[in-house]
Amino acid sequence: MPDEVLNDISHRRYNPLTGSWLLVSPHRTKRPWQGAQETPSKNTLPSYDPKCYLCPGNKRAQGDSNPPYENTFAFVNDYSAVKETQQDYHPETNKDNVASLLLQARPVTGRCYVLTFSAKHDATLADMTPEEIVPVINTWTRIYASHLSPSHPLNGQAAYVLSTIPENPDGEVTPPKHQLKNMQIFENKGAAMGCSNPHPHCQIWTTSTLPEEPGKELVNMRKYKSDTGRHLLGDYVKLELEKKERLVWENGSFVVVCPWWALWPFEVLIISKRHVRALVDLDDKERLEFAQAVQEVARRYDNLFETNFPYSSGIHQAPLDCTEEEAETSWFHMHFYPPLLRSATVKKFLVGYELMAEPQRDITPEQAAAKLRDCGGELYRKSLQ
């Protein structure tokens, strides 16, 4: 464990990826708990829902029909948050014009995809095998590669990897009309995270700008590399493997940890052990081992409170359009942010002090990691069927 005194005193922890701090209050976990105690939840969804917009062969909200796909299916979101073409907007900033300084806006263009994980309406990542998740990772890789800028340092690697990945005929993926800056792959699982359709799927937003979170991470990783000559997440992986206090699981290529700076109660990071800049750096073995890591997280989450565990997850990797320095600084990793705290219905909310001052957590990452380590084994739902 870290310094024993940190188990009993309020303290702040530093997040080197974002340059931010959070308050940790471990003594608050000693409060008596008289909340809900749930029985294990069963999966009540059918394997096919004729009313689902994402099931094979069904019509979507705007009338297009899905193909009779067997595993993954990618299409441009019918209700995209950003679009490739829109009216031009080029505001000028003038230091003598207060409104132009304080009321700034910049246009953003891009393309948003939806990607199903499985043809089965009731199969979450926790229910799928690593081998069944590999086609998802292959499709992520193909979409990322197809959106790289012509001058991207990873283009040669992308071309090689694409030649080794089976093509998926079920998809509407084409190169963008204009070069885009970033690709954010993310999943919102469960109604608690705003998911509007229970069919297993993720979204992929490609934008002409670099968003705040990956932008802050890139800045801090570049600074660390400049200051030390080493990679921030490379050093962090070695540290966690040495200490094993926050380590949840590992295989040959990836570690799963509850990071030192975790905000959410059971937040985890999947981090590549070697320097992987983006999905296109992964070989066949590593894509399977990445699938194993994703499945381990999803299954352990469900086993923790014996429920269909909600979370938001997302991959951070080299931007679609970047310099060689930015590509070499990037280190492939995946965030999981789950809201559950003590049970299937008790959630962590960012309120009060956390909105007005800084984020705060009670259960320590070390305690969370210990609980998740104990949640391995068969998915609990299989014994209820």
Side-chain angles (χ1 to χ4, degrees), residues 114-128:
V114 174
L115 171 66
T116 62
F117 293 156
S118 170
K120 297 178 182 178
H121 186 70
D122 59 345
T124 69
L125 292 174
D127 298 289
M128 298 166 65

Side-chain angles (χ1 to χ4, degrees), residues 36 47 49 60 69 73 75 85-86 108 112 119 162 167 182 186 237 315 323 330 333 355 359 366:
S47 60
D49 183 348
R60 301 203 299 273
Y69 66 90
F73 169 51
F75 62 93
T85 57
Q86 62 183 10
V108 180
C112 299
L162 287 181
E167 290 194 30
N182 192 70
F186 67 96
V237 166
I315 291 172
T323 65
S330 299
H333 60 285
L355 293 178
E366 294 77 28

Side-chain angles (χ1 to χ4, degrees), residues 201-274:
H201 72 283
C202 71
Q203 298 186 57
I204 304 170
W205 291 13
T206 56
T207 55
S208 58
T209 56
L210 184 62
E212 285 285 309
E213 286 302 304
K216 287 189 289 187
E217 289 189 358
L218 190 56
V219 166
N220 284 286
M221 287 191 290
R222 289 176 69 183
K223 183 179 186 304
Y224 189 91
K225 184 74 161 56
S226 176
D227 291 345
T228 68
R230 302 186 304 273
H231 289 280
L232 190 159
L233 285 178
D235 278 0
Y236 184 63
V237 166
K238 293 177 183 176
L239 190 64
E240 291 292 17
L241 287 174
E242 175 187 324
K243 291 185 173 294
K244 300 187 181 301
E245 296 159 353
R246 290 162 294 277
L247 182 66
V248 175
W249 181 86
E250 66 170 305
N251 60 14
S253 302
F254 292 90
V255 298
V256 176
V257 300
C258 292
W260 168 265
W261 54 83
L263 164 59
W264 297 97
F266 293 96
E267 176 181 334
V268 303
L269 266 177
I270 298 177
I271 315 173
S272 59
K273 287 184 174 180
R274 75 173 179 93

Side-chain angles (χ1 to χ4, degrees), residues 246-350:
R246 290 162 294 277
L247 182 66
V248 175
W249 181 86
E250 66 170 305
N251 60 14
S253 302
F254 292 90
V255 298
V256 176
V257 300
C258 292
W260 168 265
W261 54 83
L263 164 59
W264 297 97
F266 293 96
E267 176 181 334
V268 303
L269 266 177
I270 298 177
I271 315 173
S272 59
K273 287 184 174 180
R274 75 173 179 93
H275 183 208
V276 172
R277 299 161 294 181
L279 283 160
V280 293
D281 275 339
L282 300 175
D283 59 27
D284 288 344
K285 176 176 179 288
E286 289 170 327
R287 284 192 293 275
L288 175 59
E289 293 193 333
F290 180 40
Q292 291 171 349
V294 170
Q295 206 278 341
E296 283 287 339
V297 172
R299 190 179 75 255
R300 287 166 190 267
Y301 274 169
D302 279 14
N303 285 348
L304 181 62
F305 295 134
E306 297 188 325
T307 191
N308 211 327
F309 203 92
Y311 59 77
S312 281
S313 66
I315 291 172
H316 285 167
Q317 57 188 328
L320 296 173
D321 188 12
C322 65
T323 65
E324 184 170 354
E325 180 195 10
E326 289 171 329
E328 291 304 314
T329 300
S330 299
W331 193 289
F332 183 83
H333 60 285
M334 186 173 187
H335 295 272
F336 283 78
Y337 298 140
L340 298 187
L341 177 57
R342 292 185 188 244
S343 73
T345 58
V346 178
K347 301 177 181 64
K348 161 77 173 179
F349 295 97
L350 296 183

Side-chain angles (χ1 to χ4, degrees), residues 136-155:
V136 176
I137 296 172
N138 287 345
T139 305
W140 286 343
T141 305
R142 280 198 166 276
I143 296 177
Y144 176 83
S146 70
H147 286 64
L148 289 178
S149 74
S151 61
H152 202 287
L154 297 181
N155 265 332

